[in-house]
Amino acid sequence: MLDLEVVPERSLGNEQWEFTLGMPLAQAVAILQKHCRIIKNVQVLYSEQSPLSHDLILNLTQDGIKLLFDAFNQRLKVIEVYDLTKVKLKYCGVHFNSQAIAPTIEQIDQSFGATHPGVYNSAEQLFHLNFRGLSFSFQLDSWTEAPKYEPNFAHGLASLQIPHGATVKRMYIYSGNSLQDTKAPIMPLSCFLGNVYAESVDVLRDGTGPAGLRLRLLAAGCGPGLLADAKMRVFERSVYFGDSCQDVLSMLGSPHKVFYKSEDKMKIHSPSPHKQVPSKCNDYFFNYFTLGVDILFDANTHKVKKFAGPATNLPCCLLSENADGQTETCTTYSKWDNIQELLGHPVEKPVVLHRSSSPNNTNPFGSTFCFGLQRMIFEVMQNNHIASVTLYGPPRPGSHLRTAELP
């Protein structure tokens, strides 16, 4: 049984790991993978047809905990403990829920002190006792004595006298004063762990198509000694087609991983694929996982030839298009129909892509369709949402274009 510390409006965890409000989904998954021998039976819950309409949930069924992530920015929004019999909980180092201590209303008052008047939901038959960033729900149908409820007791506030011995049904940790109005906070500095994250990515365009990417980056401040700068830094970097490997390293830093292509499965769709001479070297990717961008370099020239953006890993990625002198924007939240209205319709039929984690497995999300449009490849899922965007184009003729202003 997990023994966890509750920090209102912040986190749930122990000395080894911590689920912190505002942390990215990938970081929470990394914690679960690292401690898979202790935290078992994790479910991933999402809406297949409307993924942006509902929260993305990691359900720790063995421990009675749900982690609710905002569907758009994929940051932790709410921590719910829905079965308090499966976990030990403490506040300021003192247990208020364990096998020996029942989380009764008296125990909650003793551990957390005075609070605002509670809220009664007659439809759910739940009474919510709210602190800032922390709520407890008591279920009325489990009580032997009917509660004394007065809808207009004093100053317009509802009054509910809770019978002795009533126990907590659920607990919520969130940001702010209201669980209903809460939003995922910005990522806390403790979650950066030396990484740089992308707040947004814009496509820079020339007259014929994409020319590169402009990235708005976030980093935790750093400084010498123990008194490091504790502020978040925001800065912009741009990378273009034709940039050298050294250019990219100086702009974005070292990648998390370098991946060498062993084969090109899309070569059959290129003009006269049988005339292409096999290269003695393999093209390679710089994988920037926290930026949501992969950059492909030509094996011979070591210059940028493609950008790949997995939209589901970087929900804030933007695609900016200029039309008739006006800037129109489509985002990774846009559906394929909306993107075609802005950019036009593809001339050729799509390529069907079957992704799998291994040769003997199938992709649980099904096949996707790849459409080519204005030197961009949109990978479209069966629910009409965008899975990824790949940009390609001719290299820049000269390095002097780096300082040129692009729309």
Side-chain angles (χ1 to χ4, degrees):
M1 182 179 290
L2 297 178
D3 191 353
L4 305 177
E5 177 82 21
V6 173
V7 183
E9 206 175 17
R10 180 188 155 187
S11 65
L12 178 70
N14 53 32
E15 295 180 354
Q16 287 74 41
W17 50 266
E18 188 176 48
F19 294 122
T20 306
L21 295 177
M23 75 185 315
L25 172 65
Q27 200 168 113
V29 172
I31 291 175
L32 296 174
Q33 290 175 331
K34 183 177 181 180
H35 300 278
C36 59
R37 294 185 179 181
I38 301 174
I39 307 175
K40 302 178 181 179
N41 302 328
V42 179
Q43 295 178 338
V44 181
L45 307 176
Y46 63 96
S47 173
E48 185 173 343
Q49 292 302 320
S50 303
L52 299 179
S53 302
H54 305 277
D55 292 332
L56 178 62
I57 301 175
L58 296 180
N59 184 14
L60 285 57
T61 57
Q62 175 183 271
D63 308 296
I65 300 172
K66 286 182 181 178
L67 306 175
L68 284 70
F69 293 83
D70 184 274
F72 284 87
N73 55 43
Q74 296 186 7
R75 295 197 303 268
L76 184 56
K77 182 172 72 173
V78 176
I79 302 171
E80 175 187 351
V81 181
Y82 61 88
D83 191 344
L84 277 75
T85 64
K86 296 182 177 181
V87 64
K88 296 179 182 180
L89 299 173
K90 55 187 175 182
Y91 174 66
C92 294
V94 179
H95 284 95
F96 64 90
N97 174 68
S98 67
Q99 293 172 322
I101 303 174
T104 62
I105 180 61
E106 293 81 12
Q107 182 63 51
I108 298 302
D109 286 341
Q110 179 181 341
S111 299
F112 293 90
T115 182
H116 297 290
V119 178
Y120 174 59
N121 188 317
S122 57
E124 299 177 348
Q125 286 194 316
L126 288 176
F127 175 72
H128 302 286
L129 190 63
N130 301 319
F131 299 84
R132 180 172 177 83
L134 183 69
S135 292
F136 297 96
S137 297
F138 300 84
Q139 193 165 24
L140 302 188
D141 59 7
S142 63
W143 299 349
T144 57
E145 178 186 352
K148 298 176 182 178
Y149 174 64
E150 298 180 22
N152 294 293
F153 173 65
H155 307 288
L157 298 175
S159 171
L160 184 60
Q161 182 178 351
I162 305 175
H164 294 288
T167 58
V168 177
K169 181 71 175 178
R170 294 186 181 91
M171 182 191 75
Y172 302 90
I173 302 174
Y174 53 93
S175 177
N177 289 315
S178 172
L179 176 61
Q180 287 71 31
D181 299 330
T182 189
K183 297 180 180 179
I186 61 174
M187 190 167 61
L189 296 177
S190 60
C191 292
F192 277 85
L193 302 176
N195 292 304
V196 177
Y197 286 83
E199 183 181 51
S200 64
V201 180
D202 297 328
V203 175
L204 300 171
R205 291 179 54 82
D206 55 20
T208 59
L213 298 179
R214 180 191 293 123
L215 299 93
R216 182 176 173 84
L217 305 176
L218 304 176
C222 57
L226 297 177
L227 300 177
D229 183 9
K231 297 182 180 179
M232 184 181 298
R233 296 176 56 216
V234 182
F235 52 97
E236 289 188 355
R237 294 289 185 269
S238 297
V239 182
Y240 298 88
F241 289 111
D243 275 355
S244 67
C245 181
Q246 290 82 359
D247 290 333
V248 176
L249 288 172
S250 65
M251 289 291 107
L252 304 181
S254 299
H256 295 88
K257 186 178 180 181
V258 178
F259 175 76
Y260 290 86
K261 293 180 62 177
S262 58
E263 57 180 331
D264 188 356
K265 296 180 179 179
M266 302 297 285
K267 184 174 69 173
I268 192 173
H269 299 286
S270 61
S272 305
H274 60 281
K275 296 181 181 179
Q276 296 184 10
V277 179
S279 175
K280 296 181 180 180
C281 303
N282 294 329
D283 292 347
Y284 55 94
F285 281 99
F286 274 10
N287 304 124
Y288 292 94
F289 298 132
T290 58
L291 305 184
V293 174
D294 298 328
I295 302 177
L296 180 65
F297 292 89
D298 184 275
N300 296 312
T301 63
H302 302 286
K303 295 183 180 296
V304 176
K305 59 186 297 187
K306 282 185 182 180
F307 296 99
T312 51
N313 289 344
L314 184 63
C316 55
C317 177
L318 303 178
L319 295 174
S320 301
E321 298 295 332
N322 292 327
D324 299 329
Q326 296 182 351
T327 300
E328 297 181 344
T329 302
C330 53
T331 74
T332 53
Y333 313 135
S334 305
K335 291 189 176 183
W336 176 234
D337 293 341
N338 304 123
I339 292 177
Q340 291 183 93
E341 292 178 1
L342 292 176
L343 306 183
H345 295 270
V347 177
E348 300 181 356
K349 293 182 178 181
V351 175
V352 180
L353 181 60
H354 303 278
R355 292 185 184 274
S356 61
S357 56
S358 67
N360 296 324
N361 291 339
T362 58
N363 183 2
F365 301 102
S367 303
T368 55
F369 300 90
C370 296
F371 295 88
L373 192 64
Q374 297 186 19
R375 296 213 315 262
M376 295 179 284
I377 299 174
F378 294 88
E379 183 185 358
V380 183
M381 296 184 288
Q382 296 181 12
N383 58 11
N384 209 29
H385 284 274
I386 306 301
S388 68
V389 180
T390 301
L391 315 177
Y392 61 94
R396 296 180 299 130
S399 59
H400 63 280
L401 292 181
R402 166 168 292 283
T403 57
E405 285 293 329
L406 292 172

